[in-house]
CSV table of all heavy atoms in Angstrom, one decimal:
chain,number,residue,atom,x,y,z
Q,91,LEU,N,-17.9,19.1,-4.0
Q,91,LEU,CA,-16.8,19.5,-3.2
Q,91,LEU,C,-17.1,19.3,-1.7
Q,91,LEU,O,-16.3,18.9,-0.9
Q,91,LEU,CB,-16.5,21.0,-3.5
Q,91,LEU,CG,-15.2,21.5,-2.8
Q,91,LEU,CD1,-14.0,20.7,-3.2
Q,91,LEU,CD2,-15.0,23.0,-3.2
Q,92,SER,N,-18.3,19.7,-1.3
Q,92,SER,CA,-18.7,19.5,0.1
Q,92,SER,C,-18.8,18.1,0.5
Q,92,SER,O,-18.3,17.7,1.6
Q,92,SER,CB,-20.1,20.2,0.4
Q,92,SER,OG,-20.0,21.6,0.2
Q,93,VAL,N,-19.3,17.2,-0.4
Q,93,VAL,CA,-19.3,15.8,-0.1
Q,93,VAL,C,-17.9,15.2,0.1
Q,93,VAL,O,-17.6,14.5,1.0
Q,93,VAL,CB,-20.0,15.0,-1.3
Q,93,VAL,CG1,-19.9,13.5,-1.1
Q,93,VAL,CG2,-21.5,15.4,-1.3
Q,94,ALA,N,-17.0,15.7,-0.8
Q,94,ALA,CA,-15.6,15.2,-0.7
Q,94,ALA,C,-15.0,15.7,0.6
Q,94,ALA,O,-14.3,14.9,1.3
Q,94,ALA,CB,-14.8,15.8,-1.8
Q,95,ALA,N,-15.2,16.9,1.0
Q,95,ALA,CA,-14.7,17.4,2.3
Q,95,ALA,C,-15.2,16.7,3.5
Q,95,ALA,O,-14.5,16.3,4.4
Q,95,ALA,CB,-14.9,18.9,2.4
Q,96,ILE,N,-16.5,16.4,3.5
Q,96,ILE,CA,-17.2,15.7,4.6
Q,96,ILE,C,-16.7,14.3,4.7
Q,96,ILE,O,-16.4,13.8,5.8
Q,96,ILE,CB,-18.7,15.8,4.5
Q,96,ILE,CG1,-19.2,17.2,4.7
Q,96,ILE,CG2,-19.4,14.9,5.5
Q,96,ILE,CD1,-20.6,17.4,4.4
Q,97,ALA,N,-16.5,13.6,3.6
Q,97,ALA,CA,-16.0,12.3,3.6
Q,97,ALA,C,-14.6,12.2,4.1
Q,97,ALA,O,-14.2,11.4,4.9
Q,97,ALA,CB,-16.0,11.7,2.1
Q,98,ALA,N,-13.7,13.2,3.7
Q,98,ALA,CA,-12.4,13.2,4.2
Q,98,ALA,C,-12.3,13.6,5.7
Q,98,ALA,O,-11.5,13.0,6.4
Q,98,ALA,CB,-11.6,14.3,3.4
Q,99,LEU,N,-13.3,14.4,6.1
Q,99,LEU,CA,-13.3,14.8,7.5
Q,99,LEU,C,-13.7,13.6,8.4
Q,99,LEU,O,-13.1,13.3,9.4
Q,99,LEU,CB,-14.4,15.9,7.7
Q,99,LEU,CG,-14.8,16.2,9.2
Q,99,LEU,CD1,-13.6,16.8,9.9
Q,99,LEU,CD2,-16.0,17.2,9.2
Q,100,LEU,N,-14.6,12.7,7.9
Q,100,LEU,CA,-15.0,11.5,8.7
Q,100,LEU,C,-13.8,10.6,8.7
Q,100,LEU,O,-13.5,10.0,9.8
Q,100,LEU,CB,-16.2,10.8,8.0
Q,100,LEU,CG,-17.5,11.6,8.1
Q,100,LEU,CD1,-18.6,10.9,7.3
Q,100,LEU,CD2,-17.9,11.8,9.5
Q,101,MET,N,-13.0,10.4,7.6
Q,101,MET,CA,-11.9,9.5,7.7
Q,101,MET,C,-10.8,10.1,8.6
Q,101,MET,O,-10.1,9.3,9.3
Q,101,MET,CB,-11.4,9.3,6.2
Q,101,MET,CG,-12.3,8.5,5.3
Q,101,MET,SD,-12.8,6.9,6.1
Q,101,MET,CE,-11.2,6.2,6.5
Q,102,ALA,N,-10.6,11.4,8.5
Q,102,ALA,CA,-9.5,12.0,9.4
Q,102,ALA,C,-9.9,11.8,10.9
Q,102,ALA,O,-9.0,11.5,11.7
Q,102,ALA,CB,-9.4,13.5,9.0
Q,103,ALA,N,-11.2,12.0,11.2
Q,103,ALA,CA,-11.6,11.8,12.6
Q,103,ALA,C,-11.5,10.4,13.0
Q,103,ALA,O,-11.1,10.1,14.1
Q,103,ALA,CB,-13.1,12.3,12.7
Q,104,PHE,N,-11.8,9.4,12.1
Q,104,PHE,CA,-11.6,8.0,12.4
Q,104,PHE,C,-10.2,7.7,12.7
Q,104,PHE,O,-9.9,7.0,13.7
Q,104,PHE,CB,-12.1,7.2,11.2
Q,104,PHE,CG,-11.8,5.7,11.3
Q,104,PHE,CD1,-12.5,4.9,12.1
Q,104,PHE,CD2,-10.7,5.2,10.5
Q,104,PHE,CE1,-12.2,3.5,12.2
Q,104,PHE,CE2,-10.4,3.9,10.6
Q,104,PHE,CZ,-11.1,3.0,11.5
Q,105,LEU,N,-9.2,8.2,11.9
Q,105,LEU,CA,-7.8,8.0,12.1
Q,105,LEU,C,-7.4,8.6,13.4
Q,105,LEU,O,-6.5,8.0,14.1
Q,105,LEU,CB,-7.0,8.5,10.9
Q,105,LEU,CG,-7.0,7.8,9.6
Q,105,LEU,CD1,-6.3,8.5,8.5
Q,105,LEU,CD2,-6.4,6.4,9.8
Q,106,ALA,N,-7.9,9.8,13.7
Q,106,ALA,CA,-7.5,10.4,15.0
Q,106,ALA,C,-8.0,9.5,16.2
Q,106,ALA,O,-7.2,9.3,17.2
Q,106,ALA,CB,-8.1,11.8,15.1
Q,107,GLY,N,-9.2,9.0,16.1
Q,107,GLY,CA,-9.7,8.1,17.2
Q,107,GLY,C,-8.9,6.8,17.3
Q,107,GLY,O,-8.6,6.4,18.4
Q,108,TRP,N,-8.6,6.3,16.1
Q,108,TRP,CA,-7.7,5.0,16.1
Q,108,TRP,C,-6.4,5.3,16.8
Q,108,TRP,O,-5.9,4.5,17.5
Q,108,TRP,CB,-7.5,4.5,14.7
Q,108,TRP,CG,-6.5,3.5,14.5
Q,108,TRP,CD1,-6.7,2.1,14.8
Q,108,TRP,CD2,-5.2,3.7,14.1
Q,108,TRP,NE1,-5.5,1.5,14.6
Q,108,TRP,CE2,-4.5,2.4,14.1
Q,108,TRP,CE3,-4.4,4.8,13.7
Q,108,TRP,CZ2,-3.2,2.2,13.7
Q,108,TRP,CZ3,-3.1,4.6,13.3
Q,108,TRP,CH2,-2.5,3.3,13.4
Q,109,LEU,N,-5.8,6.5,16.5
Q,109,LEU,CA,-4.5,6.8,17.0
Q,109,LEU,C,-4.5,6.9,18.5
Q,109,LEU,O,-3.6,6.4,19.2
Q,109,LEU,CB,-4.0,8.1,16.4
Q,109,LEU,CG,-2.5,8.5,16.3
Q,109,LEU,CD1,-2.3,9.5,15.3
Q,109,LEU,CD2,-2.1,9.0,17.7
Q,110,VAL,N,-5.6,7.6,19.1
Q,110,VAL,CA,-5.7,7.7,20.5
Q,110,VAL,C,-5.8,6.3,21.2
Q,110,VAL,O,-5.2,6.1,22.2
Q,110,VAL,CB,-6.9,8.6,20.8
Q,110,VAL,CG1,-7.2,8.6,22.4
Q,110,VAL,CG2,-6.7,10.0,20.4
Q,111,LEU,N,-6.6,5.4,20.6
Q,111,LEU,CA,-6.8,4.1,21.1
Q,111,LEU,C,-5.4,3.4,21.1
Q,111,LEU,O,-5.1,2.7,22.1
Q,111,LEU,CB,-7.8,3.3,20.3
Q,111,LEU,CG,-9.3,3.8,20.5
Q,111,LEU,CD1,-10.2,3.0,19.6
Q,111,LEU,CD2,-9.7,3.6,21.9
Side-chain angles (χ1 to χ4, degrees):
L91 187 59
S92 293
V93 170
I96 293 172
L99 171 62
L100 292 175
M101 290 309 306
F104 170 77
L105 286 174
W108 169 80
L109 202 160
V110 171
L111 290 176

